[in-house]
């Protein structure tokens, strides 16, 4: 045997076919016999703690109440989803319960989570009970009820919503306190477009993320500049951004006799809710009225330009050079304010005053043999195919405050024994009526028009590139509704706390009669006149006008615009003097006509007029009465139209001499007080016997700075 054969391995060589035949073919097991590697399910307790940490990090601190937290509504969907709830609840949780939590119980579930008193098993049991009793997020917030946890027998349980029966289960015995306490953080309201009044539970957290440290403090309220969280408003202009608002908080004022903050809030909220439906560009938009237990709030859009008073003060002491564009902006914005006032007053002419005017028009038409037609108000732009008369307006035939605005402390004159005083039994009633027929039509008046209540909105909010922006009437909560009902026809207006400087004379001398809508016309006339003074003479000129309050004969009743003697009112000599001097200004006293002069004449002849329409008046008398908002709007439209036409022709109707540096304001009027004579008439019903407008009743002596005396 060879050596190679001797050391050959002792195994036989075979091919693969032989081996398969020997060992057999290896077959794969069927698919259903595979063993999936076991994956450990996360611990529900750990998942619950993780969810709680993420929830706490999602809270936002509110500025009202200060330091409290709330959960933005957008965070709820991020925190509660099917995968998360599947891991937090025990494995035995059914799909129906998980679907209920994700669909109708997200907020309920999160309130239980943040309380840190419910285990995963408790959460499952409670959510199953909520599903059984149909208790959903829509039933939040929940009042504290004594029958929680089965503490009271069934027949002694307090009546409540049927869904709240879920709290009878003993599961709530050890977690109910935290639930009722924590739910405030999850129920911050969302300011909706189609909802205005919000009745919130005491302790509710408002979605106010910031408020100014220096509010505007008034007698009855405090107004804050604030911001609403971006997820809690529906203003498309600020989508995804905080909404800046003016938040008005009403004061309780328990020391104020006859005042109740609850009643005041109810009246203001109801008035604003109705006024909000007018949707006028020049009326400030109220956003919400919120009652949070004892706290009462009104939310408005924020005016980034401040008030008209602040705008005036920003113009500087000296007048700026006259600019046609600036004057046109003033005319357009004043026209817008008057248009808003006309909308606020409404178109109802079935008041007693409306009947008087209509009857007088009927008599005049019949005397002329004309066919009577219903007048159609002018529009700013004529319809296609129409023409509009833009000829100069004709005058009717008639024989401690900001910027040192004089404080007028009005002593309300009580009616004498022979006069009937109609007073409301409810000291907080806000409904008053103009003299009227029985009718269900409604309209409003403001009652407190002044520069502080006219706000400026700049381009960022209104897309208005003009220097004046958009002016809007604010403080509409003081607006009074005139409802034509017999029971309220003769009630006295109960708003006693308005600024007397801009009030009409009937506020003092005709107290026993209800105020009409033309009360606002006098006020807007005062504002317009002061606006012209600012344009022509700057703040120094307006301050000089305000300084004239020192020569008033009776500080208790007189203002810069009217004076009262024995209940007889007339336009003051101060106002008459300033109007006359303005009309003699080089800008106003020119042959070609002046827009500012036409505006001042309109104020003199149709706005600062004491007389009001009354029964037994003939047309010639009514033509001397104070205008209504509709007539004022038409007159201003005529001025606006003439300015547009003149500007297209290259005229100088808006302004002629631009430089005002060497033009001094009117010289102050100094009055030598004469001896008073007995009044021949009283300011009785409807001011029938009031002296004609702008007619000096007594021979006042005027002394100017030059020292000359004239009679």
């Amino acid at each position: 045997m060879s050596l190679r054969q001797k050391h050959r391995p002792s195994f036989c060589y075979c091919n693969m076919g032989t081996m398969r035949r020997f060992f057999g073919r290896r077959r794969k097991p069927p698919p259903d016999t595979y063993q999936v590697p076991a994956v450990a399910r996360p611990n529900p307790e750990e998942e619950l703690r993780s969810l709680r940490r993420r929830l706490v990090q999602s809270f936002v601190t509110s500025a009202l109440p200060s330091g409290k937290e709330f959960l933005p509504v957008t965070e709820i969907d991020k925190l509660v989803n099917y995968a998360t709830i599947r891991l937090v609840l025990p494995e035995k949780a059914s799909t129906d319960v998980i679907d209920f939590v994700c669909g109708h119980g997200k907020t309920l579930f999160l309130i239980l989570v943040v309380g840190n008193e419910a285990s995963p098993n408790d959460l499952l049991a409670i959510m199953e009970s909520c599903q059984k009793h149909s208790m959903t997020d829509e039933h939040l917030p929940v009042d504290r009820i004594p029958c929680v946890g089965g503490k009271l027998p069934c027949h002694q349980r307090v009546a409540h919503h049927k869904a709240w029966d879920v709290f009878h289960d003993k599961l709530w015995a050890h977690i109910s306190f935290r639930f009722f306490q924590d739910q405030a953080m999850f129920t911050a309201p969302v300011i909706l477009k189609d909802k205005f009044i919000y009745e919130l539970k005491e302790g509710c957290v408002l979605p106010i993320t910031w408020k100014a440290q220096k509010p505007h403090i008034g007698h009855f309220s405090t107004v804050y500049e604030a911001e609403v969280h971006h997820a809690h408003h529906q203003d498309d202009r600020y989508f995804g951004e905080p909404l800046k608002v003016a938040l008005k908080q009403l004061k309780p004022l328990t020391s104020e006799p006859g005042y109740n903050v609850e009643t005041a809030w109810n009246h203001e909220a109801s008035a604003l809710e109705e006024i909000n439906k007018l949707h006028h560009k020049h009326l400030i938009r109220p956003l919400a009225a919120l009652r949070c237990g004892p706290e009462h709030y009104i939310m408005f859009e924020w005016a980034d330009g401040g008030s008209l008073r602040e705008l005036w003060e920003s113009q500087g002491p000296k007048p700026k050079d006259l600019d046609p564009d600036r004057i046109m902006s003033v005319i357009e914005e004043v026209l817008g304010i008057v248009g808003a006032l006309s909308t606020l007053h409404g178109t109802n002419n079935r008041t007693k005053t409306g009947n008087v005017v209509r009857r007088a028009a009927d008599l005049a038409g019949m005397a002329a043999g004309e066919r009577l037609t219903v007048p159609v108000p002018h529009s700013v732009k004529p319809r296609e195919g129409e023409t509009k008369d833009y000829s100069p307006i004709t005058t009717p035939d008639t024989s401690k405050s900001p910027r040192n605005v004089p404080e007028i402390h009005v002593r309300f004159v009580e009616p004498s024994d022979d006069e009937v005083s109609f007073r409301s039994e409810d000291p907080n009633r806000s409904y008053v009526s103009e003299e009227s027929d029985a009718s269900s039509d409604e309209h409003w008046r403001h009652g407190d028009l002044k520069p502080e209540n006219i706000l400026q909105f700049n381009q960022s909010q209104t897309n208005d590139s003009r220097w004046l922006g958009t002016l809007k009437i604010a403080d509409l909560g003081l607006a009074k509704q005139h409802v034509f009902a017999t029971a309220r026809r003769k009630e006295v207006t109960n708003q006693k706390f308005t600024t007397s400087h801009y009030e009409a004379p009937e506020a003092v001398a005709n107290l026993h009669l209800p105020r009409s809508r033309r009360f606002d016309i006098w006020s807007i006339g005062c504002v317009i006149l002061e606006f012209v003074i600012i344009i022509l003479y700057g703040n120094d000129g307006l301050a000089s006008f305000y300084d004239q309050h020192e020569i008033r004969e009776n500080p208790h009743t007189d203002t810069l615009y009217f004076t009262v003697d024995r209940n007889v009112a007339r336009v003051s000599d101060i106002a008459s003097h300033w109007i006359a001097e303005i009309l003699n200004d080089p800008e106003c006293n020119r042959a070609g006509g002046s827009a500012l002069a036409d505006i001042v004449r309109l104020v003199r002849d149709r706005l600062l007029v004491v007389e009001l329409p009354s029964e037994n008046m003939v047309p010639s008398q009514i033509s001397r009465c104070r205008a209504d908002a509709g007539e004022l709007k038409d007159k201003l439209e005529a001025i606006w139209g003439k300015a547009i036409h003149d500007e297209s022709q290259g005229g100088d109707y808006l302004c002629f001499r631009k430089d005002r540096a060497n033009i001094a304001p009117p010289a102050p009027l100094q009055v030598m007080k004469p001896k008073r004579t007995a009044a021949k008439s009283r300011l009785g019903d409807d001011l029938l016997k009031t002296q004609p407008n702008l007619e000096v009743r007594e021979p006042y002596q005027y002394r100017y700075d030059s020292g000359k005396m004239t009679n």
Side-chain angles (χ1 to χ4, degrees):
M1 178 180 295
S2 66
L3 182 62
R4 185 174 181 179
Q5 292 176 339
K6 182 178 179 180
H7 294 282
R8 180 179 295 175
S10 57
F11 59 87
C12 65
Y13 290 92
C14 60
N15 56 29
M16 292 300 296
T18 303
M19 293 181 65
R20 287 194 186 99
R21 287 193 297 271
F22 180 81
F23 293 105
R25 184 179 294 274
R26 304 184 74 177
R27 299 182 180 277
K28 293 182 180 180
D32 56 350
T33 62
Y34 275 118
Q35 297 294 326
V36 179
V39 178
R41 188 178 189 273
N43 186 351
E45 292 286 353
E46 291 293 336
E47 293 297 323
L48 179 58
R49 284 193 288 269
S50 174
L51 177 60
R52 186 177 294 117
R53 284 194 298 270
R54 287 184 284 129
L55 174 58
V56 171
Q57 293 172 358
S58 301
F59 281 113
V60 175
T61 302
S62 172
L64 204 66
S66 180
K68 297 289 185 179
E69 293 182 323
F70 70 95
L71 182 68
V73 293
T74 51
E75 298 299 318
I76 296 178
D77 290 334
K78 297 178 182 179
L79 293 168
V80 179
N81 53 68
Y82 189 92
T84 301
I85 303 304
R86 175 78 270 179
L87 296 177
V88 170
L89 293 181
E91 187 175 1
K92 60 182 179 180
S94 66
T95 304
D96 289 343
V97 173
I98 298 176
D99 289 340
F100 171 78
V101 174
C102 295
H104 305 286
K106 294 180 180 181
T107 307
L108 281 168
F109 188 80
L110 291 179
I111 296 174
L112 294 169
V113 168
V114 78
N116 199 19
E117 293 180 340
S119 65
N121 288 320
D122 291 336
L123 289 175
L124 176 58
I126 291 175
M127 297 314 297
E128 288 176 340
S129 180
C130 289
Q131 184 183 21
K132 176 183 176 182
H133 291 90
S134 300
M135 175 66 186
T136 66
D137 294 342
E138 296 179 356
H139 300 104
L140 295 175
V142 181
D143 294 332
R144 292 181 180 271
I145 51 179
C147 51
V148 174
K151 295 180 180 179
L152 292 177
C154 184
H155 66 277
Q156 295 183 11
R157 289 174 182 158
V158 179
H160 52 67
H161 196 284
K162 185 177 180 181
W164 293 359
D165 288 345
V166 68
F167 295 103
H168 297 166
D169 294 344
K170 293 183 179 180
L171 292 167
W172 293 92
H174 67 287
I175 63 174
S176 61
F177 176 77
R178 284 298 304 269
F179 182 89
F180 292 129
Q181 184 181 28
D182 294 338
Q183 64 179 341
M185 298 187 295
F186 296 84
T187 54
V190 178
I191 308 304
L192 305 174
K193 290 182 179 180
D194 55 352
K195 184 178 180 180
F196 183 72
I197 297 179
Y198 295 79
E199 300 278 356
L200 308 175
K201 301 295 182 182
E202 184 175 356
C204 176
V205 182
L206 297 181
I208 303 297
T209 56
W210 173 85
K211 69 175 183 178
Q213 296 298 320
K214 294 182 178 181
H216 174 74
I217 301 176
H219 183 68
F220 289 94
S221 63
T222 302
V223 179
Y224 298 91
E225 178 187 0
E227 289 182 353
V228 179
H229 190 274
H230 65 84
H232 284 256
H233 71 82
Q234 293 184 337
D235 195 323
D236 297 334
R237 298 173 302 171
Y238 302 96
F239 180 77
E241 301 177 6
L243 176 64
K244 187 169 288 189
V245 298
L247 189 65
K248 176 180 177 180
Q249 183 177 15
L250 275 63
K251 298 179 180 179
L253 291 183
T254 55
S255 60
E256 192 72 48
Y259 177 80
N260 181 273
V261 66
E262 182 81 9
T263 306
W265 182 86
N266 284 331
H267 288 160
E268 184 166 356
S270 299
L272 291 174
E273 185 176 26
E274 294 301 319
I275 293 174
N276 204 21
K277 298 176 183 177
L278 298 177
H279 300 294
H280 197 284
K281 176 184 177 182
H282 292 273
L283 291 177
I284 193 170
R285 183 164 57 98
L287 303 176
L290 307 101
R291 176 172 21 213
C292 307
E295 302 297 334
H296 301 79
Y297 303 94
I298 307 288
M299 187 181 294
F300 300 90
E301 58 181 340
W302 176 255
D304 55 356
S307 68
L308 182 60
R309 174 73 64 192
E310 294 170 331
L311 174 66
W312 288 352
E313 293 176 351
S314 69
Q315 299 304 298
K318 301 300 180 182
K320 296 182 179 296
D321 291 344
L322 294 183
D323 185 331
D325 292 337
R326 292 170 67 90
I327 296 178
M328 177 60 81
S329 295
V330 172
I331 295 174
E332 291 176 345
E333 289 309 302
V334 170
L335 178 58
I337 290 293
V338 172
L341 200 60
S342 179
T343 301
L344 194 67
H345 287 180
T347 58
N348 182 13
N349 62 355
R350 285 186 285 176
T351 62
K352 186 175 181 180
T353 304
N355 289 336
V356 170
V357 176
R358 189 169 58 254
R359 283 198 300 269
D362 291 347
L363 291 174
M366 287 185 292
E370 299 175 354
R371 180 179 178 182
L372 298 179
T373 58
V374 179
V376 179
H378 295 290
S379 59
V380 175
K381 295 182 179 180
R383 295 188 180 95
E384 185 177 357
E386 292 181 347
T387 58
K388 189 167 183 176
D389 181 15
Y390 291 132
S391 58
I393 61 173
T394 58
T395 58
D397 182 17
T398 89
S399 313
K400 220 161 194 175
S401 301
R403 193 61 184 174
N404 299 321
V405 178
E407 293 184 356
I408 313 297
H409 301 286
V410 175
R411 175 176 59 84
F412 291 99
V413 182
E414 294 292 340
S416 60
D417 294 338
D418 58 337
E419 295 174 334
V420 180
S421 176
F422 301 95
R423 301 188 180 276
S424 170
E425 296 178 358
D426 181 1
N428 297 288
R429 185 185 297 277
S430 65
Y431 293 101
V432 296
S433 67
E434 187 178 63
E435 50 277 352
S436 64
D437 297 328
S439 169
S440 60
D441 290 346
E442 297 179 357
H443 53 264
W444 302 82
R445 64 172 175 78
H446 188 282
D448 193 23
L449 282 173
K450 54 186 177 181
E452 289 77 9
N453 286 341
I454 298 176
L455 303 183
Q456 181 193 22
F457 289 76
N458 289 325
Q459 181 179 2
S460 60
Q461 291 177 281
T462 61
N463 295 323
D464 193 337
S465 58
R466 300 172 304 170
W467 73 278
L468 195 53
T470 300
L471 298 181
K472 298 189 180 186
I473 299 176
D475 213 357
L476 296 172
L478 294 178
K480 300 296 181 179
Q481 186 182 30
H482 298 248
V483 180
F484 300 113
T486 304
R488 300 189 178 113
R489 193 177 338 185
K490 297 181 179 180
E491 291 175 1
V492 174
T493 301
N494 295 296
Q495 182 61 44
K496 305 175 183 177
F497 309 102
T498 53
T499 304
S500 303
H501 176 69
Y502 298 97
E503 283 189 336
E506 57 263 29
V508 178
N510 211 16
L511 185 62
H512 70 284
L513 291 179
R515 299 179 188 177
S516 72
R517 291 167 290 180
R518 299 179 191 236
F519 184 95
D520 291 336
I521 302 302
W522 179 281
S523 301
I524 198 65
C526 301
V527 173
I528 293 174
L529 180 62
E530 293 181 11
F531 213 149
V532 173
I533 293 175
I534 284 287
I535 293 173
L536 293 177
Y537 310 112
N539 276 287
D540 285 350
L542 187 60
S544 177
F545 175 66
Y546 287 157
D547 288 343
Q548 297 272 269
H549 78 280
E550 297 178 355
I551 65 174
R552 291 173 298 152
E553 294 185 51
N554 190 343
H556 295 292
T557 58
D558 295 355
T559 72
L560 290 177
Y561 294 99
F562 70 83
T563 183
V564 177
D565 179 30
R566 295 175 176 84
N567 277 9
V568 178
R570 61 179 179 85
V571 174
S572 71
D573 296 310
I574 298 172
S576 301
H577 166 72
W578 274 76
I579 289 174
E581 291 296 311
I582 292 173
L583 292 176
N584 286 328
D585 187 279
E587 176 59 33
C588 298
N589 188 16
R590 50 193 174 93
S594 164
L596 293 179
D598 284 345
I599 291 174
V600 173
R601 292 190 189 97
L602 177 60
V603 170
R604 179 192 67 186
D605 299 329
R606 305 302 300 130
L607 308 186
L608 296 185
V609 179
V610 174
E611 294 156 306
L612 298 173
S614 63
E615 292 182 351
N616 304 321
M617 275 191 172
V618 297
S620 60
Q621 292 175 313
I622 293 179
S623 66
R624 295 196 301 267
C625 293
R626 192 183 310 161
D628 59 15
E631 178 187 348
L632 174 56
K633 181 182 176 183
D634 289 343
K635 297 291 187 182
L636 284 174
E637 284 178 0
I639 296 174
W640 176 86
K642 182 180 178 182
I644 292 291
H645 177 74
D646 181 81
E647 191 175 32
S648 66
Q649 301 297 320
D652 55 5
Y653 179 65
L654 285 172
C655 69
F656 173 70
R657 181 177 178 179
K658 297 183 178 181
D659 184 13
R660 299 288 301 176
N662 298 322
I663 306 298
L669 171 68
Q670 297 184 7
V671 179
M672 304 298 293
K673 299 180 183 179
K675 295 182 180 180
R676 287 287 185 180
T677 58
K680 297 181 180 180
S681 61
R682 297 178 59 82
L683 188 65
D685 294 343
D686 303 320
L687 302 171
L688 284 175
K689 299 182 179 180
T690 307
Q691 297 298 320
N693 183 48
L694 297 177
E695 183 177 275
V696 180
R697 296 174 55 239
E698 297 174 0
Y700 280 97
Q701 292 178 318
Y702 301 147
R703 184 180 64 197
Y704 296 88
D705 288 344
S706 60
K708 297 180 180 180
M709 302 289 293
T710 58
N711 291 330

